[in-house]
Structures are given as structure tokens and as C-alpha cells.
Amino acid sequence: MQKKKNEVKTTNDHPDYSKYAVVFDNVSFFYNENTPTLKNISFKIEKGQYVALIGHNGSGKSTLARLIIGILIQLSGDIYINNELMTDDTAIELRKKIGIVFQNPDNQFIGSTVRDDIAFSLENMCVKSELMEDLIKEYAAKVNMLDFLDSEPSNLSGGQKQRVAIAGTLIRNPDILILDEATAMLDPKGKREIFNLIHKMKDENPNLTVISITHEIDEAYRADKIIVLNDGEIFMEGTPSEVFSHPDELSKISLDIPFFSKLSMELKGISKDVSNVKSMEDLIKVLCQ
Amino acid sequence: MKSVIFGRYSNYNTPIHRIDPRVKIIGMIVFMVAIFLPLTKVGSTSQYEINMSTATNFIILGIIFLIQLILMLIGRISFISIFKSMKTMWFFLFLIFLLNILIPTNPTAEQTAFNLGTLAISYSAIFSTAYVFVRLVLVVMITSVVTSTTKPMELTFGIEWLLYPLKFVKIPVHEIGMIISLALRYIPTLMEESERIMKSQASRGVDFKNGKFKEKFKSITSLIVPLFMSSFIKASDLADTMEARGYDPKAKRTRYRMLSWRWVDTLWLIVIAIFLGLIIAQCVIGTNYMLLLMNII
Ligand SMILES: Nc1ncnc2c1ncn2[C@@H]1O[C@H](COP(=O)(O)OP(=O)(O)O)[C@@H](O)[C@H]1O
Ligand SMILES: [Mg+2]
């Protein structure tokens, strides 16, 4: 890899990671000394990639997310965000370019109304008060919450609250958006709305890097890349078709593969070539041709 | 469950609703001072004087009651909510009455209202209890006027603004404001949560309504412990969210909601100042003046 000449910021000598949004280099972390939570994790996420992070409960996914935004700091190894090393001192600065949406819709609603919750982010960014109203409206419209600006959280559904959280996160204009099981507590309709919203955002801004921690296997299939975590270690990494072509190994760590991949694998040889399909709809389309 | 918080904000647009929260807070404090100002002259010897000052007190409280009644009518505050929030106070009133009776005063025949067995109940015991009762009602009224016409958010801003001078003695006023607004924000959420836990515990056979004290204590524990657990999880999630959205208590922040002062607010403030002046004036010369007045009549 070539090194840029005008590189001043990186004091310590590290390879040029300017292509990557997130780089983990041999990172370990534990909450309690006897049980390591993350062990020697290394991976790279390119800028603009849509990455799904899957793994069973307790495998360390949320811990990994908290390391990326620097709420937790790694105990060994290096983390680079946008080519800059994450340390205690740089965490606050680097975090400005990262947004995260957590699982529980109630626990991340800070303001007393939708308006105030979105404004919370702007207040922290020291945006002038006069400019806030327009920005709030713009982002509320993006997440389809314009009609609920004065609603209180107790009168909103889980999906609506998560959309507000997304607005409050996107208004900070992040390069990296992390969803830590953001749809886990929502009904199917709410889930669909959130995922469609995220894909819409991603289409509008191709440079946005999305890291989606999810149990929705079908959703993971839409990602550019899947990282499988198991007991604090990377179990598998690759494109969705690569990862899901190992159903036996995945079932060993009690992870499933999407129904349509199962089906297309079974259909191999008996039917048309269906190995490239990316969703149930595609599969039906190919088969009905 | 929701009726527990008295004076929840009611979404009308009355002149009281439109007053600046700072004025309302100051006004509330002035009313409270007026309600609790001890007017009975200490060291009064003559029974006549004591009776007079008691009468004066009740007249003053009556005037305050009338003013607050008008404020409640303008602010469209429901009277039922006042009764509801009084519910918890009956026990205390009874306790106060009991204390007043049991304190041995040995009332003379003319001071005795009636006899309860061997116990002579004096007028002063009844009056003291009535006095406490009236004051409590007045306090509930005025706080209801403020809390049901002011959004919790505005109230917090008002408190924070008024506490601002304390910043210079190194008291973290902004953090206090944030803590209050988060607490207000999470009251309904925690209510829902406790309702949810109660239901799920009830479905496991926990009885919250019946049983002896010990059993009741046990069932309450089965509510409190999970509620605490979930509150800690909520707090930690909330802290993560705030940090992730760039909150830094030490850093400078801007404000979305601004308090805007209007000329009517100045007017209200003047009215409050005059009221305070009258209260103080009558406190200083009041009793003697009333005595004088009564003598002339
Ligand atoms: N704050 C914490 N303190 C101690 N242990 C924790 C804490 N958070 C998570 N853990 C432990 O770390 C492991 C990984 O947790 P987590 O990252 O939340 O996993 P996941 O998000 O994949 O379910 C679990 O065993 C969990 O018990
Ligand atoms: Mg998790």
C-alpha cells in the first residue's frame, strides 16, 4: 500500500487505511478478566459498504459496536476509524462521524417530544437555534415523522420511536451508521419500515457505511458483506452467498440460513440455475420464467 | 396509575398557560410564602388577641383561596384532580388532628369545644388542624395551577434559569437541569414499566391487593426488584445514547427551546411583587391594624 506524503495526523506508523471506514487490528476486550468478551478480532470494512454482523446472543456484537463508537476502549490491538487511531483522547472527536441506533426504542428517546429528541443532537453540535427548526423538519420528513413532531414517546409505536432515533442520528451527518439490533423489538411491519428506510438512506448517500447487527437472516442477505461472530471470535467473514453456502458450520453455532438459500441449494441440479438469487422474490421470478 | 402525578400538563391555551415559566415559579414561591407565613403573634397573652390573629389568618387564607380559585378557573384546571391529589393527605391530617388532641393543654370550660369521653377537645386543637388542612389545600391548588399549565420542559428551563446564579459557586446548574428533564421524561415510561411488571407478576400468582402486611411486602418486592433492574438497564442505555449523540456535560451547547419574555410577563411580575408587598405589610402591621379596625367598629 502506498503512503500519502502529506500524512501528518497519523503519528504512529500504520498502513494507509484511507479506503476503510473501520479497521480492527487484533482487538481484544473483556469486562471481567476471567472471561474475554472479544478475542483477537481483525477485520476491515470499506467505506460505503453495507455490513451485517450476526452471531448468537452474548457473542459480543454489542461490545464490538461500543468499541467502534469509542464508548468502550479496546484493551489491546488497534481500531482505526476513517484512518485514524481510536484512543481515549480521540474517541469524542472520531465519534462525531459515527451514529448508532440501539435495540430498545424507549431507552434512547431523550427529549420529551419528537421535536426535542431530534433537537438534542443539534444542541450537542452547537447548531444555532434559528437553524434548528428547518433541520428538524427536514430530517423528520426523511423518516416519515413530520406529522408527529409534537408527540410524546408514550403515544408512539416502537417503530416510530426507532425512526425518531434514526433521524436524531442521521442529523449528525455520520459517515458510519451502526444498527445494534435496532429492529429486534419491533413487529414485522415496523421491521420492514426500518430496513426500507435504511436502504433508502444508503441509496441516497452511497458513501454511508452501514453496520447492521441483526438476527434477521433475510436482512443480512441484502448486505455487501457478512461477519459472523461466535463467542467473541470471528467465525466467518465474506459475501452473503459465501457465508450462507456453509449451512452446516452455521448450524453448529445455531445460526440459520435464509429459507430461499436453503431452497435454492436443494434445487441445485433439479431445476434451473438458481445459485445467484438474492431474495425469495428473485427465486420465484427465476423459477417462473 | 397515571392519576398519581397531580397536575399533569393539560394542553389548553389560556392566559395562564402563556405566562413565562419563570414568572410562574416565582409566583408559586410567593404564594407559598404567603400561605406559610406564621401570623399568630408569638407571646400574645390575651385570649382576645389570640382569637383576633387567628381570625385574621383565616381571612388572609380566604383571600389567597379566592385568588387561587380565579387562577384555576382561568387556567381551566380540573377540580377533580385537586381532590384526587388530596387523597394521600387524609391520613396525615388525621395524624395531625390526633397530635393536636393528645397534646395536653387542659382547656378551660370555655375553651372546650366538646368532650370525647374523658378527653376535652379544645377549639384550638380543631383550629390548628383546620389551619393545616386549609394550608395544604392551598398549596396543592397553587402547585396544580403551575404544573398543569406549564410543560415539564418549560418548567425545567425556568428552574435552570432561576438557578443560574448558583453557577458561580460551582454548582452544576446545567447538569441539574438535564437530570430534572430526564427524570420528567422517564416518569411515564417507568409507570408503564411497573404496570407491565405488575401484570406479569400477577399472572404468576402474585397478589398485590390482598393479604397480610408480610405478604403485601413480599409482592411489592417482586415489583420493586425488577423495576430497579430495568431502570439500571434504561439508565445505562440512555447514557450510551446520549454519549453517542455527542452529549458532553462539560462542553458548550446551544438551545433549541428559548424562553421568550413578553410585556404581559412583566405585568404579571409587577402584580406578584405588589401581592408580596401586601403580604409583608400585613405581616408587619396586620394584626394590630385589624385589632384597631375591630375596635373602631
Ligand atoms: N456491561 C457489561 N458488564 C459485564 N459483562 C458484560 C457487559 N455487557 C455485556 N457483557 C457480557 O459480554 C458478553 C457479550 O455481550 P454483548 O456484546 O452484549 O453480546 P451480544 O450483543 O452479541 O448479545 C456477554 O457474555 C455479556 O454477558
Ligand atoms: Mg446485543
Side-chain angles (χ1 to χ4, degrees):
Chain A
M1 266 177 215
Q2 290 175 324
K3 240 184 172 178
K4 273 185 250 155
K5 268 189 186 153
N6 56 352
E7 206 175 282
V8 252
K9 274 201 166 168
T10 43
T11 41
N12 63 331
D13 234 5
H14 70 79
D16 179 21
Y17 290 135
S18 53
K19 230 176 91 191
Y20 300 102
V22 180
V23 175
F24 268 51
D25 184 11
N26 218 8
V27 172
S28 297
F29 184 86
F30 53 77
Y31 292 100
N32 126 6
E33 226 161 316
N34 307 320
T35 50
T37 309
L38 292 174
K39 290 166 261 182
N40 309 323
I41 302 278
S42 295
F43 63 83
K44 295 189 183 100
I45 294 173
E46 280 173 36
K47 284 185 176 163
Q49 255 187 338
Y50 193 115
V51 177
L53 184 60
I54 60 175
H56 59 78
N57 282 332
S59 55
K61 306 182 297 293
S62 297
T63 307
L64 197 140
R66 283 176 168 78
L67 284 169
I68 296 176
I69 52 169
I71 289 177
L72 299 173
I73 296 295
Q74 72 276 15
L75 296 168
S76 72
D78 293 328
I79 297 174
Y80 299 93
I81 305 295
N82 293 330
N83 204 19
E84 284 186 54
L85 185 67
M86 171 75 78
T87 62
D88 263 325
D89 302 325
T90 58
I92 290 184
E93 200 52 39
L94 293 181
R95 189 184 298 150
K96 285 185 179 161
K97 283 287 157 197
I98 311 173
I100 185 164
V101 179
F102 294 103
Q103 180 177 8
N104 192 322
D106 269 317
N107 301 1
Q108 48 186 328
F109 207 105
I110 299 156
S112 57
T113 64
V114 171
R115 216 182 257 290
D116 291 286
D117 192 61
I118 302 176
F120 179 77
S121 297
L122 295 174
E123 290 176 330
N124 294 334
M125 291 158 72
C126 287
V127 172
K128 283 209 187 81
S129 310
E130 312 86 84
L131 305 176
M132 286 189 187
E133 194 60 37
D134 288 340
L135 279 168
I136 291 171
K137 288 210 173 113
E138 182 190 334
Y139 278 83
K142 275 191 191 189
V143 298
N144 260 332
M145 287 297 290
L146 202 51
D147 297 335
F148 299 92
L149 277 180
D150 289 309
S151 300
E152 289 172 18
S154 45
N155 302 326
L156 296 174
S157 73
Q160 288 174 323
K161 278 180 247 191
Q162 288 303 65
R163 265 149 51 198
V164 176
I166 291 171
T169 303
L170 287 181
I171 209 167
R172 307 180 67 232
N173 203 11
D175 298 335
I176 305 165
L177 176 65
I178 307 171
L179 306 165
D180 187 353
E181 298 187 37
T183 60
M185 293 176 75
L186 307 184
D187 55 11
K189 183 169 164 273
K191 279 185 210 238
R192 227 174 311 120
E193 278 171 3
I194 299 292
F195 282 129
N196 288 340
L197 181 65
I198 299 297
H199 283 283
K200 196 183 98 195
M201 298 293 158
K202 184 79 185 84
D203 291 342
E204 277 172 21
N205 179 7
N207 292 327
L208 184 71
T209 310
V210 178
I211 302 170
S212 170
I213 300 174
T214 182
H215 287 296
E216 311 288 317
I217 292 299
D218 286 340
E219 171 53 27
Y221 210 100
R222 288 166 81 177
D224 301 321
K225 170 175 168 171
I226 295 182
I227 297 175
V228 184
L229 216 57
N230 181 45
D231 290 337
E233 283 172 306
I234 291 187
F235 184 76
M236 229 188 259
E237 190 183 347
T239 63
S241 23
E242 279 166 15
V243 168
F244 290 130
S245 60
H246 303 282
D248 299 335
E249 280 169 64
L250 286 176
S251 73
K252 246 186 263 164
I253 59 165
S254 47
L255 285 178
D256 211 358
I257 64 167
F259 178 67
F260 69 87
S261 348
K262 253 187 243 172
L263 199 59
S264 62
M265 248 176 263
E266 296 288 329
L267 287 171
K268 212 176 245 171
I270 357 174
S271 163
K272 295 171 194 167
D273 182 23
V274 285
S275 50
N276 293 328
V277 294
K278 288 219 154 37
S279 71
M280 198 67 202
E281 287 84 42
D282 284 355
L283 182 66
I284 294 169
K285 236 182 252 164
V286 173
L287 288 177
C288 293
Q289 262 165 15
Chain B
M1 209 59 192
K2 296 238 159 68
S3 66
V4 175
I5 326 162
F6 67 88
R8 275 168 68 94
Y9 178 71
S10 61
N11 204 358
Y12 297 118
N13 188 15
T14 70
I16 308 272
H17 281 73
R18 289 194 292 266
I19 303 174
D20 190 285
R22 289 165 286 189
V23 176
K24 281 191 258 193
I25 294 168
I26 293 171
M28 184 173 76
I29 294 168
V30 168
F31 267 99
M32 294 229 187
V33 169
I35 292 166
F36 282 105
L37 220 52
L39 296 175
T40 315
K41 277 179 90 186
V42 187
S44 306
T45 40
S46 93
Q47 184 59 42
Y48 180 65
E49 235 175 82
I50 292 174
N51 285 348
M52 275 323 297
S53 57
T54 311
T56 323
N57 281 355
F58 275 105
I59 290 167
I60 300 287
L61 291 180
I63 293 168
I64 294 174
F65 177 79
L66 280 179
I67 296 173
Q68 293 188 356
L69 205 63
I70 294 167
L71 291 178
M72 279 179 71
L73 287 173
I74 301 174
R76 296 178 69 179
I77 288 121
S78 86
F79 288 84
I80 300 163
S81 74
I82 304 278
F83 279 113
K84 271 191 185 153
S85 38
M86 286 301 294
K87 232 172 25 190
T88 44
M89 293 182 195
W90 294 119
F91 173 72
F92 290 101
L93 278 177
F94 179 71
L95 209 69
I96 289 161
F97 185 56
L98 216 63
L99 276 174
N100 274 319
I101 292 169
L102 294 182
I103 290 170
T105 46
N106 290 329
T108 58
E110 67 192 75
Q111 287 170 338
T112 309
F114 56 91
N115 285 303
L116 210 69
T118 52
L119 207 65
I121 293 168
S122 66
Y123 282 115
S124 77
I126 295 170
F127 276 137
S128 321
T129 312
Y131 197 31
V132 171
F133 173 73
V134 171
R135 283 168 154 182
L136 275 180
V137 173
L138 290 177
V139 168
V140 171
M141 277 169 79
I142 193 67
T143 39
S144 286
V145 167
V146 173
T147 53
S148 31
T149 63
T150 322
K151 289 197 183 103
M153 210 56 160
E154 290 182 343
L155 212 55
T156 318
F157 285 170
I159 295 169
E160 206 184 317
W161 194 91
L162 291 169
L163 289 181
Y164 191 80
L166 294 179
K167 225 179 179 146
F168 299 106
V169 284
K170 293 267 184 305
I171 289 174
V173 177
H174 166 72
E175 275 105 314
I176 293 173
M178 184 54 95
I179 290 167
I180 299 174
S181 54
L182 285 178
L184 289 171
R185 149 73 188 92
Y186 273 88
I187 287 172
T189 307
L190 289 177
M191 291 279 198
E192 279 167 26
E193 185 81 8
S194 60
E195 232 163 309
R196 202 177 53 74
I197 295 170
M198 267 167 104
K199 273 185 194 143
S200 71
Q201 298 291 41
S203 75
R204 294 195 183 96
V206 178
D207 189 351
F208 286 99
K209 290 213 175 78
N210 307 306
K212 292 199 195 74
F213 179 77
K214 204 178 144 193
E215 286 155 14
K216 263 199 176 159
F217 184 79
K218 255 193 186 159
S219 46
I220 292 292
T221 320
S222 78
L223 167 67
I224 296 291
V225 173
L227 194 59
F228 257 87
M229 289 299 290
S230 100
S231 305
F232 281 126
I233 293 169
K234 275 189 202 312
S236 131
D237 280 4
L238 190 66
D240 284 352
T241 306
M242 291 173 73
E243 215 174 327
R245 293 213 205 147
Y247 179 69
D248 178 0
K250 299 278 172 295
K252 203 176 126 46
R253 300 177 80 226
T254 50
R255 267 253 145 103
Y256 170 53
R257 292 202 187 264
M258 296 289 210
L259 295 171
S260 59
W261 190 270
R262 299 172 312 148
W263 64 269
V264 211
D265 296 316
T266 317
L267 215 65
W268 279 107
L269 205 58
I270 292 169
V271 171
I272 291 168
I274 293 171
F275 179 68
L276 183 66
L278 286 177
I279 292 292
I280 292 171
Q282 86 76 38
C283 182
V284 176
I285 55 159
T287 316
N288 292 330
Y289 179 72
M290 286 301 281
L291 278 174
L292 207 69
L293 208 68
M294 292 308 270
N295 281 332
I296 292 167
I297 294 166

Short mmCIF file of all heavy atoms in Angstrom, two decimals, chain A residues 29-32 35-38 53-66 72 103 180-181 213 215 229 231-232, chain B residues 236, ligand 1:
data_model
loop_
_atom_site.label_atom_id
_atom_site.label_comp_id
_atom_site.label_asym_id
_atom_site.label_seq_id
_atom_site.Cartn_x
_atom_site.Cartn_y
_atom_site.Cartn_z
N PHE A 29 -11.00 -7.44 24.08
CA PHE A 29 -11.69 -6.68 25.12
C PHE A 29 -12.34 -7.63 26.10
O PHE A 29 -12.81 -8.70 25.74
CB PHE A 29 -12.77 -5.78 24.50
CG PHE A 29 -13.44 -4.90 25.51
CD1 PHE A 29 -12.89 -3.68 25.86
CD2 PHE A 29 -14.60 -5.32 26.16
CE1 PHE A 29 -13.49 -2.88 26.82
CE2 PHE A 29 -15.20 -4.52 27.12
CZ PHE A 29 -14.65 -3.31 27.45
N PHE A 30 -12.29 -7.26 27.38
CA PHE A 30 -13.08 -8.01 28.36
C PHE A 30 -13.66 -7.07 29.40
O PHE A 30 -13.13 -6.00 29.65
CB PHE A 30 -12.24 -9.10 29.04
CG PHE A 30 -10.97 -8.59 29.66
CD1 PHE A 30 -10.98 -7.92 30.87
CD2 PHE A 30 -9.75 -8.81 29.03
CE1 PHE A 30 -9.82 -7.44 31.44
CE2 PHE A 30 -8.57 -8.33 29.61
CZ PHE A 30 -8.60 -7.65 30.81
N TYR A 31 -14.82 -7.46 29.95
CA TYR A 31 -15.42 -6.69 31.04
C TYR A 31 -14.83 -7.17 32.36
O TYR A 31 -14.67 -6.43 33.30
CB TYR A 31 -16.94 -6.90 31.08
CG TYR A 31 -17.68 -6.31 29.91
CD1 TYR A 31 -18.09 -7.11 28.85
CD2 TYR A 31 -17.96 -4.96 29.86
CE1 TYR A 31 -18.79 -6.58 27.78
CE2 TYR A 31 -18.66 -4.41 28.80
CZ TYR A 31 -19.07 -5.23 27.75
OH TYR A 31 -19.75 -4.70 26.71
N ASN A 32 -14.54 -8.49 32.35
CA ASN A 32 -14.02 -9.08 33.58
C ASN A 32 -12.93 -10.06 33.20
O ASN A 32 -13.07 -10.80 32.23
CB ASN A 32 -15.21 -9.61 34.37
CG ASN A 32 -15.14 -11.05 34.79
OD1 ASN A 32 -14.14 -11.75 34.62
ND2 ASN A 32 -16.23 -11.52 35.33
N THR A 35 -13.14 -13.75 31.83
CA THR A 35 -13.88 -14.14 30.64
C THR A 35 -13.72 -13.10 29.54
O THR A 35 -14.39 -12.07 29.55
CB THR A 35 -15.38 -14.27 30.96
OG1 THR A 35 -15.79 -13.07 31.65
CG2 THR A 35 -15.69 -15.48 31.79
N PRO A 36 -12.80 -13.35 28.61
CA PRO A 36 -12.63 -12.41 27.50
C PRO A 36 -13.90 -12.33 26.66
O PRO A 36 -14.52 -13.34 26.37
CB PRO A 36 -11.48 -13.01 26.69
CG PRO A 36 -11.39 -14.42 27.09
CD PRO A 36 -11.92 -14.52 28.49
N THR A 37 -14.31 -11.12 26.34
CA THR A 37 -15.53 -10.94 25.55
C THR A 37 -15.23 -10.94 24.06
O THR A 37 -15.94 -11.52 23.27
CB THR A 37 -16.21 -9.62 25.96
OG1 THR A 37 -16.33 -9.60 27.38
CG2 THR A 37 -17.58 -9.51 25.35
N LEU A 38 -14.14 -10.26 23.70
CA LEU A 38 -13.70 -10.27 22.30
C LEU A 38 -12.23 -10.70 22.26
O LEU A 38 -11.41 -10.19 23.01
CB LEU A 38 -13.87 -8.88 21.68
CG LEU A 38 -15.30 -8.39 21.47
CD1 LEU A 38 -15.30 -6.95 20.97
CD2 LEU A 38 -16.05 -9.28 20.50
N LEU A 53 -23.58 -7.88 10.78
CA LEU A 53 -22.83 -8.57 11.83
C LEU A 53 -23.82 -9.52 12.52
O LEU A 53 -24.80 -9.07 13.10
CB LEU A 53 -22.29 -7.53 12.80
CG LEU A 53 -21.40 -7.99 13.95
CD1 LEU A 53 -20.15 -8.68 13.41
CD2 LEU A 53 -20.98 -6.78 14.78
N ILE A 54 -23.57 -10.81 12.39
CA ILE A 54 -24.50 -11.76 13.00
C ILE A 54 -23.78 -12.65 14.01
O ILE A 54 -22.56 -12.72 14.04
CB ILE A 54 -25.24 -12.62 11.95
CG1 ILE A 54 -24.26 -13.45 11.12
CG2 ILE A 54 -26.09 -11.76 11.04
CD1 ILE A 54 -24.95 -14.40 10.14
N GLY A 55 -24.55 -13.32 14.83
CA GLY A 55 -23.99 -14.17 15.88
C GLY A 55 -25.03 -14.32 16.97
O GLY A 55 -25.90 -13.47 17.10
N HIS A 56 -24.93 -15.40 17.73
CA HIS A 56 -25.97 -15.64 18.73
C HIS A 56 -25.84 -14.65 19.89
O HIS A 56 -24.86 -13.90 19.98
CB HIS A 56 -25.92 -17.09 19.23
CG HIS A 56 -24.61 -17.45 19.85
ND1 HIS A 56 -24.27 -17.07 21.11
CD2 HIS A 56 -23.55 -18.13 19.36
CE1 HIS A 56 -23.06 -17.51 21.38
NE2 HIS A 56 -22.60 -18.16 20.33
N ASN A 57 -26.82 -14.64 20.77
CA ASN A 57 -26.81 -13.71 21.90
C ASN A 57 -25.57 -13.92 22.77
O ASN A 57 -25.22 -15.05 23.08
CB ASN A 57 -28.05 -13.90 22.77
CG ASN A 57 -29.26 -13.25 22.13
OD1 ASN A 57 -29.10 -12.28 21.39
ND2 ASN A 57 -30.43 -13.79 22.39
N GLY A 58 -24.96 -12.83 23.16
CA GLY A 58 -23.78 -12.93 24.02
C GLY A 58 -22.50 -13.20 23.27
O GLY A 58 -21.46 -13.41 23.89
N SER A 59 -22.54 -13.18 21.94
CA SER A 59 -21.32 -13.45 21.18
C SER A 59 -20.40 -12.23 21.13
O SER A 59 -19.28 -12.33 20.66
CB SER A 59 -21.66 -13.92 19.77
OG SER A 59 -22.50 -12.99 19.13
N GLY A 60 -20.88 -11.09 21.60
CA GLY A 60 -20.02 -9.91 21.68
C GLY A 60 -20.31 -8.84 20.64
O GLY A 60 -19.53 -7.91 20.45
N LYS A 61 -21.45 -8.94 19.97
CA LYS A 61 -21.76 -7.99 18.90
C LYS A 61 -21.92 -6.56 19.43
O LYS A 61 -21.35 -5.62 18.87
CB LYS A 61 -23.06 -8.40 18.18
CG LYS A 61 -23.05 -9.83 17.66
CD LYS A 61 -24.33 -10.16 16.93
CE LYS A 61 -25.58 -10.10 17.79
NZ LYS A 61 -25.66 -11.14 18.84
N SER A 62 -22.69 -6.43 20.53
CA SER A 62 -22.90 -5.07 21.07
C SER A 62 -21.60 -4.49 21.61
O SER A 62 -21.35 -3.29 21.49
CB SER A 62 -23.94 -5.11 22.19
OG SER A 62 -25.16 -5.53 21.70
N THR A 63 -20.78 -5.36 22.21
CA THR A 63 -19.49 -4.90 22.71
C THR A 63 -18.66 -4.35 21.56
O THR A 63 -18.04 -3.28 21.68
CB THR A 63 -18.76 -6.06 23.40
OG1 THR A 63 -19.64 -6.64 24.36
CG2 THR A 63 -17.50 -5.60 24.06
N LEU A 64 -18.69 -5.07 20.45
CA LEU A 64 -17.93 -4.63 19.28
C LEU A 64 -18.45 -3.28 18.79
O LEU A 64 -17.66 -2.38 18.46
CB LEU A 64 -18.08 -5.69 18.19
CG LEU A 64 -17.07 -5.64 17.05
CD1 LEU A 64 -16.66 -7.05 16.67
CD2 LEU A 64 -17.65 -4.96 15.84
N ALA A 65 -19.78 -3.12 18.78
CA ALA A 65 -20.36 -1.84 18.35
C ALA A 65 -19.91 -0.72 19.27
O ALA A 65 -19.58 0.38 18.82
CB ALA A 65 -21.88 -1.94 18.33
N ARG A 66 -19.88 -0.99 20.58
CA ARG A 66 -19.49 0.05 21.53
C ARG A 66 -18.01 0.40 21.40
O ARG A 66 -17.60 1.52 21.71
CB ARG A 66 -19.81 -0.39 22.96
CG ARG A 66 -21.29 -0.27 23.27
CD ARG A 66 -21.62 -0.81 24.65
NE ARG A 66 -22.97 -0.43 25.06
CZ ARG A 66 -24.08 -1.02 24.61
NH1 ARG A 66 -23.99 -2.03 23.76
NH2 ARG A 66 -25.26 -0.62 25.01
N LEU A 72 -16.59 2.23 24.67
CA LEU A 72 -15.62 1.36 25.32
C LEU A 72 -14.31 1.49 24.54
O LEU A 72 -14.33 1.74 23.34
CB LEU A 72 -16.09 -0.10 25.27
CG LEU A 72 -17.40 -0.45 25.97
CD1 LEU A 72 -17.77 -1.89 25.68
CD2 LEU A 72 -17.28 -0.22 27.46
N GLN A 103 -31.20 -1.09 20.52
CA GLN A 103 -32.32 -2.02 20.41
C GLN A 103 -33.62 -1.47 20.99
O GLN A 103 -34.66 -1.51 20.34
CB GLN A 103 -31.93 -3.31 21.12
CG GLN A 103 -32.99 -4.38 21.10
CD GLN A 103 -32.49 -5.65 21.76
OE1 GLN A 103 -31.42 -5.70 22.35
NE2 GLN A 103 -33.27 -6.69 21.64
N ASP A 180 -27.66 -1.53 16.20
CA ASP A 180 -27.46 -2.67 17.10
C ASP A 180 -28.81 -3.31 17.40
O ASP A 180 -29.48 -2.94 18.36
CB ASP A 180 -26.77 -2.20 18.39
CG ASP A 180 -26.38 -3.38 19.28
OD1 ASP A 180 -26.75 -4.53 18.94
OD2 ASP A 180 -25.70 -3.16 20.29
N GLU A 181 -29.17 -4.25 16.58
CA GLU A 181 -30.47 -4.94 16.69
C GLU A 181 -31.61 -3.93 16.79
O GLU A 181 -32.54 -4.09 17.59
CB GLU A 181 -30.47 -5.89 17.90
CG GLU A 181 -29.43 -6.99 17.75
CD GLU A 181 -29.54 -8.03 18.84
OE1 GLU A 181 -30.67 -8.36 19.22
OE2 GLU A 181 -28.49 -8.52 19.30
N ILE A 213 -26.20 -4.92 12.94
CA ILE A 213 -26.19 -6.09 13.81
C ILE A 213 -27.61 -6.63 13.82
O ILE A 213 -28.53 -5.89 14.15
CB ILE A 213 -25.74 -5.72 15.22
CG1 ILE A 213 -24.33 -5.13 15.18
CG2 ILE A 213 -25.82 -6.92 16.15
CD1 ILE A 213 -23.85 -4.59 16.51
N HIS A 215 -30.53 -10.19 13.78
CA HIS A 215 -30.87 -11.61 13.77
C HIS A 215 -31.72 -11.95 12.55
O HIS A 215 -32.09 -13.10 12.37
CB HIS A 215 -31.63 -11.98 15.04
CG HIS A 215 -30.77 -12.01 16.26
ND1 HIS A 215 -29.73 -12.91 16.42
CD2 HIS A 215 -30.75 -11.24 17.37
CE1 HIS A 215 -29.14 -12.68 17.57
NE2 HIS A 215 -29.73 -11.67 18.17
N LEU A 229 -19.93 -13.65 14.18
CA LEU A 229 -19.20 -13.65 15.44
C LEU A 229 -19.68 -14.82 16.28
O LEU A 229 -20.87 -15.13 16.34
CB LEU A 229 -19.51 -12.33 16.16
CG LEU A 229 -18.41 -11.66 16.96
CD1 LEU A 229 -17.20 -11.40 16.07
CD2 LEU A 229 -18.92 -10.35 17.53
N ASP A 231 -18.79 -16.48 20.20
CA ASP A 231 -18.04 -16.45 21.46
C ASP A 231 -16.84 -15.51 21.41
O ASP A 231 -15.74 -15.87 21.82
CB ASP A 231 -17.55 -17.86 21.82
CG ASP A 231 -18.72 -18.75 22.22
OD1 ASP A 231 -19.75 -18.19 22.64
OD2 ASP A 231 -18.60 -19.98 22.10
N GLY A 232 -17.07 -14.32 20.88
CA GLY A 232 -16.02 -13.31 20.90
C GLY A 232 -14.95 -13.48 19.85
O GLY A 232 -13.92 -12.81 19.89
N SER B 236 -28.33 2.93 31.71
CA SER B 236 -27.07 2.68 31.01
C SER B 236 -27.26 2.83 29.50
O SER B 236 -26.41 3.41 28.81
CB SER B 236 -26.54 1.31 31.42
OG SER B 236 -26.18 0.56 30.33
N1 LIG C 1 -21.62 -4.09 30.88
C1 LIG C 1 -21.23 -5.37 30.95
N2 LIG C 1 -20.56 -5.83 32.03
C2 LIG C 1 -20.15 -7.12 32.10
N3 LIG C 1 -20.34 -8.04 31.14
C3 LIG C 1 -21.00 -7.64 30.03
C4 LIG C 1 -21.48 -6.30 29.87
N4 LIG C 1 -22.09 -6.20 28.68
C5 LIG C 1 -22.01 -7.41 28.11
N5 LIG C 1 -21.36 -8.29 28.90
C6 LIG C 1 -21.06 -9.69 28.59
O1 LIG C 1 -20.29 -9.71 27.42
C7 LIG C 1 -20.72 -10.74 26.56
C8 LIG C 1 -21.09 -10.18 25.21
O2 LIG C 1 -22.20 -9.33 25.34
P1 LIG C 1 -22.77 -8.49 24.13
O3 LIG C 1 -21.67 -7.77 23.49
O4 LIG C 1 -23.90 -7.69 24.66
O5 LIG C 1 -23.32 -9.63 23.16
P2 LIG C 1 -24.42 -9.58 22.01
O6 LIG C 1 -24.69 -8.16 21.71
O7 LIG C 1 -23.81 -10.32 20.89
O8 LIG C 1 -25.61 -10.28 22.54
C9 LIG C 1 -21.88 -11.42 27.25
O9 LIG C 1 -21.43 -12.59 27.83
C10 LIG C 1 -22.32 -10.44 28.29
O10 LIG C 1 -22.79 -11.11 29.43
#
